[in-house]
Amino acid sequence: MIKIMIFIFATFLTGSTLIVGNAFAFEQIFQPTPEERLSSLKRSLMDYAMDHSAHVTTSAWLDGNGAIEENVHLLSALSLENIRVNEYRNDFGYMETVIIDAPRSDITLWETCPVTSVIKKRVKLEIIEEPPRSNVMANLSRETREILEISFHESGFLADVAVSQLVLPSSASLYTRTMRNRHIPRSGLVAKLSIGVKNGIGLSTGGDFGFRLSRAGYYLNIGLEIRDHGKQIYQRDEVVRIPKPRPKNTMATLLDDQDVLRETMAVSSRLAEDLAEVLKCEAASNLFVSRLGSQIRLEGGTDLGVMVGQHFLVVPDSRHFAAFGLEDSLNSTILVKVDRVYPRYATISLLSGEIAGIKSEDGFIAVPLASMNVL
């Protein structure tokens, strides 16, 4: 009996090993080469382009021998900055790709919106202060700016999905511009925070009709506008009421009124959370590509979560895609792999395609490839 049980157990282990081995061999058989993978990505890009206002232009002429020459130019108005590339295996085990628009979520669904990006985004923060009309307004605007800087810098919600870069105001000093203002990597995402202080108007007794208009504190306006590659995707404005200071003839400040200070800080925190939710749900996660001699870089490194071995599809941006035409744009599309990752950039090497197409400092973006088995 014991020998029979040992025989059955040994047979079971052998069968399990064969199943695992066959599954591994099946995986290896249907693993596409980089060339096959790039070809599939180009076909998906072609399908995506044909579905987005593609049109054909042709021109014909006679050459020196009197023969007719013809040139066909296929154009497509794409927004490649907002695409996602997903790869999956079909029912037969072969890899297939699909290019879709970056998922967008209604504001009412933000709390349940999943993170749609495989890497963080880089967002540029610009704080714009309206010209103050008095010293009091200038002080209130400065205090508000400091609160916004702290809130957005320390926001855990924002740090989970993005790296924010605060753009400092231009300085009149050449030394300050040279020594303090470091180079800021390019970003297609811009969050503009606006600060405005206006006089409050109230009614008081007196005047010809028994009442008259008088100043009654201030109104602090704080706005947030988010743009993705120049397109507005979100806007919100908040107002904080600042009462007239007591005693009279004293300068109004946020620090002297704890209720106003708490409300201003709460507004700043809400706007930082809104920015995080917008970036999580709506914005794409492509990176700019730059070239330094023979070295090609992605403008994102460990700060954005880029990892060694990660694959990207490098394509012309929307402006260059339209200028090149569909055929030349597809010929300029390459598949790359991340070789080394540095704090703020990563170096890449070619997996498939012609790297000679990337000639300039800008004009190309890298789209991360995300695996999503939908079948």
Side-chain angles (χ1 to χ4, degrees), residues 65-311:
N65 298 322
I68 297 178
E69 295 288 342
E70 186 178 19
N71 184 23
V72 180
H73 202 57
L74 183 60
L75 301 174
S76 181
L78 294 180
S79 179
L80 294 177
E81 288 78 12
N82 293 311
I83 63 171
R84 285 283 304 276
V85 180
N86 293 322
E87 296 182 301
Y88 63 93
R89 291 189 178 276
N90 60 20
D91 292 333
F92 302 99
Y94 291 100
M95 292 295 298
E96 292 189 2
T97 59
V98 59
I99 294 179
I100 61 175
D101 293 319
R104 293 178 178 270
S105 176
D106 186 79
I107 188 171
T108 58
L109 303 176
W110 276 0
E111 294 181 357
T112 59
C113 175
V115 177
T116 61
S117 172
V118 295
I119 60 175
K120 291 183 179 181
K121 289 92 170 176
R122 195 186 301 280
V123 57
K124 182 169 64 175
L125 296 179
E126 297 180 357
I127 302 181
I128 303 172
E129 299 180 66
E130 294 183 5
R133 297 182 179 179
S134 66
N135 291 334
V136 177
M137 293 182 178
N139 287 335
L140 292 174
S141 181
R142 176 185 53 80
E143 288 180 311
T144 305
R145 180 189 181 93
E146 293 173 353
I147 292 174
L148 287 173
E149 291 178 359
I150 294 174
S151 296
F152 278 74
H153 179 71
E154 297 181 352
S155 173
F157 295 97
L158 186 58
D160 289 340
V161 296
V163 173
S164 57
Q165 305 167 326
L166 181 63
V167 179
L168 298 176
S170 58
S171 175
S173 170
L174 177 62
Y175 174 82
T176 303
R177 291 199 304 267
T178 305
M179 302 303 295
R180 289 183 55 189
N181 296 352
R182 296 181 177 181
H183 169 70
I184 297 178
R186 292 177 296 166
S187 173
L189 290 163
V190 179
K192 294 185 178 182
L193 294 160
S194 59
I195 303 173
V197 182
K198 301 184 183 300
N199 286 315
I201 303 298
L203 293 176
S204 61
T205 57
D208 296 336
F209 301 97
F211 295 95
R212 65 182 177 185
L213 297 177
S214 62
R215 294 182 179 179
Y218 302 91
Y219 287 103
L220 174 61
N221 300 300
I222 306 176
L224 171 63
E225 180 189 19
I226 306 174
R227 289 186 171 271
D228 187 358
H229 293 88
K231 181 180 179 180
Q232 185 187 82
I233 58 176
Y234 182 76
Q235 183 176 15
R236 178 175 179 177
D237 295 291
E238 294 279 355
V239 178
V240 177
R241 175 75 169 85
I242 302 176
K244 191 174 183 179
R246 294 180 182 180
K248 296 181 179 181
N249 301 324
T250 58
M251 183 174 292
T253 63
L254 298 179
L255 295 177
D256 291 339
D257 193 319
Q258 293 301 309
D259 291 335
V260 174
L261 178 63
R262 281 192 293 267
E263 186 177 355
T264 305
M265 295 175 64
V267 168
S268 301
S269 298
R270 287 198 300 269
L271 294 180
E273 292 181 20
D274 282 359
L275 175 58
E277 294 294 343
V278 170
L279 300 186
K280 181 178 72 173
C281 293
E282 296 208 10
S285 57
N286 53 73
L287 299 176
F288 287 106
V289 177
S290 61
R291 186 161 189 168
L292 183 62
S294 61
Q295 187 183 77
I296 299 181
R297 297 180 175 183
L298 302 181
E299 295 194 5
T302 54
D303 57 342
L304 300 185
V306 177
M307 298 180 294
V308 173
Q310 193 171 6
H311 292 182

Side-chain angles (χ1 to χ4, degrees), residues 18-29:
L18 290 174
I19 292 173
V20 174
N22 290 335
F24 180 76
F26 180 82
E27 179 79 12
Q28 292 296 108
I29 291 174

